[in-house]
Amino acid sequence: MKRFAIVLAAGQGKRMKSKLYKVLHPVCGKPMVGHVVNTVQQVHCERSVVVVGHGAEAVRSYLQDTAEYVLQEQQLGTGHAVKQAKDLLGGEEGSTLVVCGDTPLVTPETLENLLNLHESSNAAVTVLTARTDNPKGYGRIIRGEDGNVLRIVEQKDCSPEEDAVTEFNTGTYCFDNKKLFAALEKVTNQNVQQEYYLTDCVSILKEAGETVLAYQTDDYAESIGVNDRLALSQAEGYMRERINRAHMLNGVTIIDPASTYIGADVTIGSDTVLYPGTVLKGNTVIGEDCVIGPDSDIEDSVIAQGVSVKHSVLSHAEVGARASVGPFAYLRPGAKLGEDVKVGDFVEVKNAVIDNGSKVSHLSYIGDAKVGKNVNIGCGAITVNYDGYNKSVTEIEDDAFIGSNVNLVAPVKVGKGAFVVAGSTITQSVPDNDLAIARTRQENKPGYAEEIRSRAIAKKNNKS
Ligand code: UD1
Ligand code: CA
């Protein structure tokens, strides 16, 4: 049987009280609607249609061509939203999943179970339900005496008895596609909110004598619909646990899962150890046998195997095998460290390649630079890459030695095996294997320290 999906993402999300459209709010770093669309893709739907409205452009530009789109110009309710997909999907035969863009925790396994139950029972609709003691804000599942589902009643439309029901609608459904669009024609907005409720399709199909089923998930987390920031933080908590658990089962050691934050799209190799305070974001890739943290923030970076990163911040950086970063290093966009490189304490690297085996051990700024292999950059040495208007490049070739506290005023090049003496301010390129010294020569004045001291004491006594 063919499978289709409709994801509802047109609402504004007033209860979020936000400038950001609701379905774009991130959960573990990834917009909610992104989670939902990825999940739907994993059950192999022929077509996935996202209903957009509020923030349509922003949602489309985030999801790109991972889905088809229909525009719901006015947000007249979830039933009205699904109906907008009629031109695209109305003619199809098969099963159609409807999922709300604000339920980021629903899993592919559950969707698969829902589809299987639905298809094997020849149902017109199968609703994914869950139970909780206080299903505040959710539609209640009303069953008849025989236990069969009769209808869904929104909390605002509930009688006191209905309000007491603990089984609720998660907002995920599987419909017979043709029967879905036929039922939607009969939905009205005669309710407290004056909206066209998708949930009314359930009673419409039941009354037409169709098979209406519910599939209950035991995992309350899966059912969370994020309507406000409280639910957003709950969703974040459950998602974080789920992500951490998956990495641990995959062979990653997480010393303290409660203080470790891993984005939904991060990958980590086995035998890597994450210390407390590790935050891994975006499309970060971490290899095997790394030691990350404590207290490190790594975003959209690629880290090879055997790397150590301590107390450091990395953004759009690449780190080669066995490199060591930190403590207290800052790798900014375009920082590319080769294998066995050391970038030590209080070193900042931006838009610079540092090739295999080179060391920048302490207190340096390396920006807009190309550093060769086995280069040693001494404590406090910096590239002077900016004149207030233009950025210029510093090149340091293989095996060069840059002494402590050297200023390399770009554009400038230090040749292979060259030696730059500590404290030099280098403004001209240094040929291969030359020694460059660019500082005033030292002069010692014998006994003059005593002279200076007695002058200072005399001055002080004169004042008092
Ligand atoms: C809905 C269900 C409720 C269920 C809950 C689960 C209805 C009437 N109610 O309520 O039974 O328990 O989800 O989380 O369906 N949307 C549109 N266009 C609209 C209105 C909504 O695209 O005109 C989208 C929203 O962006 C959102 C989703 O549909 O992603 C659900 O809408 P929302 O207003 O959050 O519905 P709930 O009140 O949570
Ligand atoms: Ca909702």
Side-chain angles (χ1 to χ4, degrees):
M1 193 170 303
K2 282 193 185 173
R3 291 170 169 186
F4 309 97
I6 300 173
V7 175
L8 305 185
Q12 183 186 11
K14 286 201 193 89
R15 291 164 279 183
M16 295 296 283
K17 307 225 164 88
S18 178
K19 290 176 280 302
L20 183 64
Y21 306 105
K22 176 162 84 173
V23 298
L24 291 178
H25 273 266
V27 169
C28 291
K30 178 168 170 162
M32 293 197 271
V33 71
H35 284 286
V36 173
V37 168
N38 282 173
T39 301
V40 158
Q41 280 165 346
Q42 289 177 57
V43 295
H44 308 296
C45 293
E46 305 256 324
R47 301 173 68 182
S48 303
V49 176
V50 178
V51 183
V52 290
H54 279 284
E57 272 321 301
V59 174
R60 287 177 77 136
S61 77
Y62 166 66
L63 289 171
Q64 305 259 332
D65 54 7
T66 55
E68 299 175 66
Y69 300 92
V70 283
L71 183 65
Q72 183 193 24
E73 276 176 23
Q74 272 187 298
Q75 282 62 55
L76 303 179
T78 48
H80 180 260
V82 173
K83 209 170 162 182
Q84 308 309 304
K86 190 173 179 181
D87 284 350
L88 284 181
L89 296 183
E92 301 275 10
E93 295 221 9
S95 307
T96 298
L97 285 169
V98 177
V99 189
C100 294
D102 63 355
T103 55
L105 284 137
V106 67
T107 60
E109 295 74 35
T110 294
L111 291 186
E112 195 66 50
N113 292 342
L114 179 73
L115 280 156
N116 289 340
L117 173 66
H118 177 84
E119 288 168 358
S120 63
S121 326
N122 243 323
V125 57
T126 307
V127 184
L128 180 66
T129 71
R131 261 182 210 284
T132 176
D133 289 340
N134 179 19
K136 197 167 172 288
Y138 292 107
R140 306 298 202 272
I141 304 296
I142 309 302
R143 293 176 182 260
E145 276 165 11
D146 54 3
N148 287 324
V149 176
L150 298 179
R151 61 183 182 276
I152 299 174
V153 183
E154 289 308 293
Q155 169 145 11
K156 286 181 178 151
D157 300 292
C158 275
S159 66
E161 297 78 53
E162 290 167 337
D163 199 61
V165 171
T166 55
E167 188 182 13
F168 66 95
N169 171 25
T170 67
T172 296
Y173 323 75
C174 183
F175 284 94
D176 172 291
N177 188 65
K178 283 272 161 71
K179 289 174 184 169
L180 165 65
F181 287 104
L184 282 172
E185 296 298 328
K186 298 186 184 141
V187 171
T188 69
N189 64 352
Q190 308 297 299
N191 51 55
V192 172
Q193 303 188 81
Q194 299 195 326
E195 285 184 3
Y196 294 87
Y197 290 163
L198 175 63
T199 45
D200 284 355
C201 290
V202 169
S203 55
I204 290 167
L205 290 166
K206 182 74 187 175
E207 280 157 26
E210 298 285 356
T211 304
V212 171
L213 296 177
Y215 173 73
Q216 194 181 309
T217 162
D218 295 331
D219 180 8
Y220 169 72
E222 278 203 74
S223 67
I224 291 179
V226 175
N227 293 328
D228 57 26
R229 310 262 184 162
L230 277 175
L232 183 66
S233 77
Q234 276 190 328
E236 179 87 22
Y238 283 117
M239 184 73 83
R240 179 160 74 236
E241 267 178 37
R242 192 188 277 177
I243 291 171
N244 286 353
R245 188 185 147 81
H247 286 294
M248 289 187 276
L249 293 176
N250 247 340
V252 176
T253 295
I254 303 182
I255 303 286
D256 179 21
S259 68
T260 304
Y261 303 80
I262 306 174
D265 295 323
V266 170
T267 63
I268 309 174
S270 63
D271 285 320
T272 282
V273 179
L274 306 182
Y275 277 87
T278 293
V279 183
L280 306 175
K281 300 188 279 203
N283 292 314
T284 292
V285 176
I286 295 183
E288 297 182 4
D289 304 314
C290 293
V291 178
I292 309 292
D295 298 322
S296 293
D297 183 327
I298 304 179
E299 177 179 28
D300 291 320
S301 295
V302 179
I303 293 177
Q305 75 272 18
V307 169
S308 145
V309 177
K310 284 183 190 148
H311 296 282
S312 291
V313 176
L314 283 68
S315 172
H316 299 264
E318 280 177 41
V319 180
R322 300 172 303 279
S324 152
V325 177
F328 312 109
Y330 184 18
L331 302 186
R332 291 170 53 202
K336 281 191 191 172
L337 313 189
E339 297 174 0
D340 304 295
V341 162
K342 177 177 180 192
V343 166
D345 52 278
F346 306 103
V347 172
E348 175 175 335
V349 180
K350 182 216 76 171
N351 187 33
V353 178
I354 300 179
D355 212 335
N356 300 349
S358 290
K359 291 186 169 54
V360 191
S361 297
H362 352 252
L363 300 158
S364 284
Y365 171 62
I366 307 296
D368 302 305
K370 203 168 162 285
V371 178
K373 297 185 177 63
N374 301 316
V375 168
N376 189 88
I377 298 188
C379 177
I382 62 164
T383 56
V384 182
N385 63 324
Y386 187 50
D387 61 8
Y389 300 92
N390 306 295
K391 299 275 167 72
S392 303
V393 172
T394 302
E395 274 185 79
I396 304 171
E397 296 195 320
D398 297 353
D399 304 310
F401 182 95
I402 309 296
S404 292
N405 224 31
V406 163
N407 299 311
L408 297 164
V409 183
V412 75
K413 178 170 161 181
V414 177
K416 244 173 157 312
F419 192 104
V420 177
V421 170
S424 294
T425 292
I426 298 296
T427 54
Q428 296 162 33
S429 290
V430 184
D432 293 358
N433 295 313
D434 277 12
L435 179 142
I437 178 161
R439 63 186 192 206
T440 43
R441 198 170 275 279
Q442 181 173 333
E443 187 189 347
N444 291 344
K445 303 198 171 186
Y448 207 77
E450 191 46 48
E451 168 79 26
I452 288 272
R453 265 194 295 275
S454 35
R455 266 201 231 160
I457 291 165
K459 193 172 170 191
K460 192 177 171 197
N461 291 342
N462 255 347
K463 271 194 205 153
S464 50

